[in-house]
């Protein structure tokens, strides 16, 4: 990539001074080390020659080349910058320097260096990638037109397709090149990665196996293999869109975007075996270990990797969401130019949660638009995340019949998923199907969800609608005194009254009246007590209940109490009901 030839320019025959080398092992030549891709050995040889003063004319070029291919871009930068400062510098060095800047993320300097180099296919490919980085579509198409039907240019085009999420187009190019170049085994890793991105984990694994048979210790390939294994055999935990949950009024829980998962032991093995100069592999593995451990060590590992590994920013946003630090999550993602469905989804989730906390309709509207954009796209509409997005969109719009259409289509994948069941049950209850909603609510095992007021209030409502008011009352009794318990009391009091379950309505209104002497609570209790009395007369409530009704009425100092009590006691006397 960096130079047009592998063989260094060495003039003349070997020096006779090498006679001593015949004793013992022969020192390999530079071209042998390069052909074996032993860049560490090549650098050692070149530095030795530099030290003893016998280096060749292009030795510094080759040191930069080897450092670049080892991933030691800072060392390569030092070598190439030193070369550009020499008089009579070979102009090809500028494009090599520009490539180094590019891999260091110094895109402005990369463009400046590339423009100083003579026109070449490498320069065009580099400028093509820079146009993509800068989001300059006009330049991108211009450099695209200059690409030729040669392997290097086509590989460059495939990589742009991959970065723009056009995975099938990238696969087509890679497969076409592989047909003519079976020895390009590494292309199997690229194809496998594309299939991984398309959620075809089993296909990805099959393609990857071809490469691992020949290169069993490849860090990148083993990392991808671990990802595929986790997706295939721990699918529930590895869903790209684990949850987009909402309470009745607003978002409740979060999407967990887990792009790269690996088994811990396999990752630690990779970390130990990775070359000391293969820094990107180490960063990738460190990132994946954090994700695999459920976010442990996020603040130590992820911040330096933001804008190095694309998923690092997204996973850090998720960490902040899990810590309920919504503002920090928003600050980290608000300026991100979304290019993938996952980025749009995560921006939607952050805006939804922020809209809930701030009571901002604007943020909720933005969230709804992001979800609709993903769920309505041709590439995502038939995927599980896409359908969840549409469900989320309709949830925000309170169109619960539509929510159920989308959730029903994917529920078989989430039978034991607490967050999915929480959302599904809410939608069922909101459409009046409280019997099924109750069953789904009771499937939930998460203590965090079961202690949430949204869960408690919806479950209480389902109990009441399903004629189980005692269970709703027991939910209240288990709560500590708080604003939420007060709200649950109001819900029980009013819903039981509407459903004709006057006994528990009266008990709830009685507690409300004790906590807040609002005349409305007395009126509610009075109506509920009269309702119970009517049901006793009709034989639909035990006569013994009248004793407790009288006790509830006497706890109020309202002058109407005596009149109501007198009528009830008269009926009790006439019907021989002991009080």
């Amino acid at each position: 990539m960096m130079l047009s030839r592998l063989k260094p320019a060495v003039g003349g025959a070997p020096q006779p001074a090498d006679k001593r080398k015949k004793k013992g092992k022969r020192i390999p030549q530079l071209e042998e080390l390069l052909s074996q891709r032993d860049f560490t050995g090549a650098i050692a040889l070149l530095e030795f020659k530099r030290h003893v003063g016998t280096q060749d004319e292009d030795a510094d070029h080759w040191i930069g080349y080897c450092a670049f291919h080892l991933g030691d871009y800072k060392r390569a930068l030092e070598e190439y910058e030193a070369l550009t400062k020499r008089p009579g510098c070979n102009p090809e060095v500028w494009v090599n320097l520009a490539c180094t800047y590019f891999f260091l993320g110094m895109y402005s300097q990369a463009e400046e260096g590339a423009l100083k180099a003579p026109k070449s296919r490498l320069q065009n490919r580099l400028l093509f990638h820079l146009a993509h980085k800068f989001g300059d579509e006009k330049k991108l198409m211009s450099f695209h037109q200059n690409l030729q039907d040669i392997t290097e240019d086509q590989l460059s085009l495939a990589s742009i397709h991959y970065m723009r999420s056009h995975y099938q187009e990238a696969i087509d190019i890679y497969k076409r090149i592989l047909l003519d170049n079976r020895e390009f085994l590494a292309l199997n890793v690229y194809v496998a990665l594309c299939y991984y991105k398309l959620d075809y984990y089993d296909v990805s694994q099959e393609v990857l196996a071809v490469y691992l048979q020949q290169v069993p210790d490849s860090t990148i390939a083993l990392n991808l293999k671990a990802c595929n294994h986790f997706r295939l055999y721990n699918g529930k935990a590895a869903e790209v869109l684990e949850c987009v949950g909402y309470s009745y009024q607003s978002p409740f829980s979060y999407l967990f975007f887990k792009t790269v998962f690996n088994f811990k032991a396999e990752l630690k093995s990779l970390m130990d075996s990775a070359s000391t100069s293969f820094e990107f592999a180490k960063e990738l593995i460190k990132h994946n270990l954090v994700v695999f451990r459920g976010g442990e060590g996020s603040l130590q590992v992820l911040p330096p990797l933001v804008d190095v590994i694309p998923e690092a920013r997204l996973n850090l946003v998720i960490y902040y969401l899990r810590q309920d630090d919504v503002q920090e999550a928003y600050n980290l993602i608000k300026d991100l130019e979304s290019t993938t469905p996952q980025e749009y989804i995560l921006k939607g989730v952050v805006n939804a949660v922020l809209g809930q906390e701030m009571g901002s309709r604007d943020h909720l509207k933005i969230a709804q638009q992001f979800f609709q954009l993903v769920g309505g796209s041709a590439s995502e509409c038939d995927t599980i995340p896409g359908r969840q997005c549409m469900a989320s969109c309709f949830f925000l719009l309170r169109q619960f019949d539509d929510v159920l259409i989308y959730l029903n289509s994917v529920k078989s994948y989430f039978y034991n998923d607490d967050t999915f069941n929480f959302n599904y049950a809410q939608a069922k209850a909101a459409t009046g199907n409280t019997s099924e909603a109750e069953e789904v609510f009771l499937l939930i095992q998460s203590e965090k969800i079961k202690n949430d007021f949204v869960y408690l209030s919806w479950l209480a409502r389902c109990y009441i609608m399903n004629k189980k008011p005692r269970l709703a009352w027991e939910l209240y009794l288990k709560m500590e005194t708080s604003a939420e318990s007060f709200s649950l009391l109001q819900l029980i009091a009013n819903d039981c009254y509407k459903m004709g379950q006057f006994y528990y309505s009266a008990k709830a209104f009685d507690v409300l009246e004790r906590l807040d002497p609002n005349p409305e609570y007395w009126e509610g209790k009075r109506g509920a007590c009269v309702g119970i009395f009517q049901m006793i007369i009709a034989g639909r409530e035990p006569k013994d209940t009248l004793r407790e009704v009288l006790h509830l009425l006497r706890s109020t100092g309202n002058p109407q109490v005596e009149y109501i009590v007198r009528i009830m006691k008269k009926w009790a006397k006439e019907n021989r009901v002991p009080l």
Side-chain angles (χ1 to χ4, degrees), residues 52 57 71 108 133 165 170 189 196 220 262 264 429 432 516 552-553:
V52 299
E57 180 184 350
S108 297
K133 291 292 184 183
S165 302
V189 179
Y196 174 86
I220 298 299
N262 306 299
K264 188 191 297 185
D516 180 8
L552 291 173
L553 286 169

Side-chain angles (χ1 to χ4, degrees), residues 136-153:
D136 191 330
E137 290 294 316
K138 188 175 179 180
K139 284 186 177 180
L140 185 78
M141 295 311 297
S142 174
F143 294 122
H144 183 192
Q145 291 172 358
N146 294 333
L147 295 177
Q148 299 177 22
D149 190 16
I150 59 173
T151 300
E152 292 85 352
D153 283 5

Side-chain angles (χ1 to χ4, degrees), residues 7 20 123 197 227 282 341 358 433 448 524 535 556 574 579:
K7 187 175 181 179
R20 65 183 181 277
Q123 183 208 43
K197 288 289 190 177
C227 297
K282 289 187 174 181
M358 297 173 58
N433 193 346
K448 181 178 180 181
M535 293 180 76
T556 302
E574 291 172 353
L579 299 176

Side-chain angles (χ1 to χ4, degrees), residues 227-276:
C227 297
N228 282 323
H229 271 295
F230 196 89
R231 297 283 189 163
L232 287 168
Y233 305 118
N234 296 271
K236 279 296 175 188
E239 288 295 338
V240 173
L241 184 64
E242 185 170 276
C243 59
V244 181
Y246 292 95
S247 69
Y248 183 65
Q249 297 181 339
S250 52
F252 164 70
S253 53
Y254 314 125
L255 158 150
F256 299 127
F257 172 55
K258 301 171 180 176
T259 294
V260 190
F261 280 99
N262 306 299
F263 297 111
K264 188 191 297 185
E266 200 158 349
L267 281 178
K268 289 180 73 69
S269 173
L270 286 177
M271 180 72 84
D272 295 339
S273 64
S275 166
T276 54

Side-chain angles (χ1 to χ4, degrees), residues 38 94 138 142 148 176 338 376 397 415 419 422 459 515 572:
D38 181 2
W94 284 105
K138 188 175 179 180
S142 174
Q148 299 177 22
R176 190 169 65 248
S338 301
L397 294 172
Y415 180 76
T419 305
F422 180 48
L459 183 57
L515 295 172

Side-chain angles (χ1 to χ4, degrees), residues 256-322:
F256 299 127
F257 172 55
K258 301 171 180 176
T259 294
V260 190
F261 280 99
N262 306 299
F263 297 111
K264 188 191 297 185
E266 200 158 349
L267 281 178
K268 289 180 73 69
S269 173
L270 286 177
M271 180 72 84
D272 295 339
S273 64
S275 166
T276 54
S277 58
F278 202 174
E279 290 301 320
F280 178 79
K282 289 187 174 181
E283 290 169 345
L284 176 64
I285 295 167
K286 278 200 270 187
H287 168 271
N288 292 349
L289 278 171
V290 167
V291 176
F292 184 75
R293 291 166 176 165
E296 180 185 335
S298 292
L299 292 180
Q300 290 74 35
V301 175
L302 297 182
L305 298 181
V306 170
D307 296 328
V308 175
I309 296 175
E311 291 81 5
R313 177 186 295 273
L314 305 181
N315 282 316
L316 188 56
V317 168
I318 292 160
Y319 172 80
Y320 285 131
L321 287 176
R322 285 176 167 176

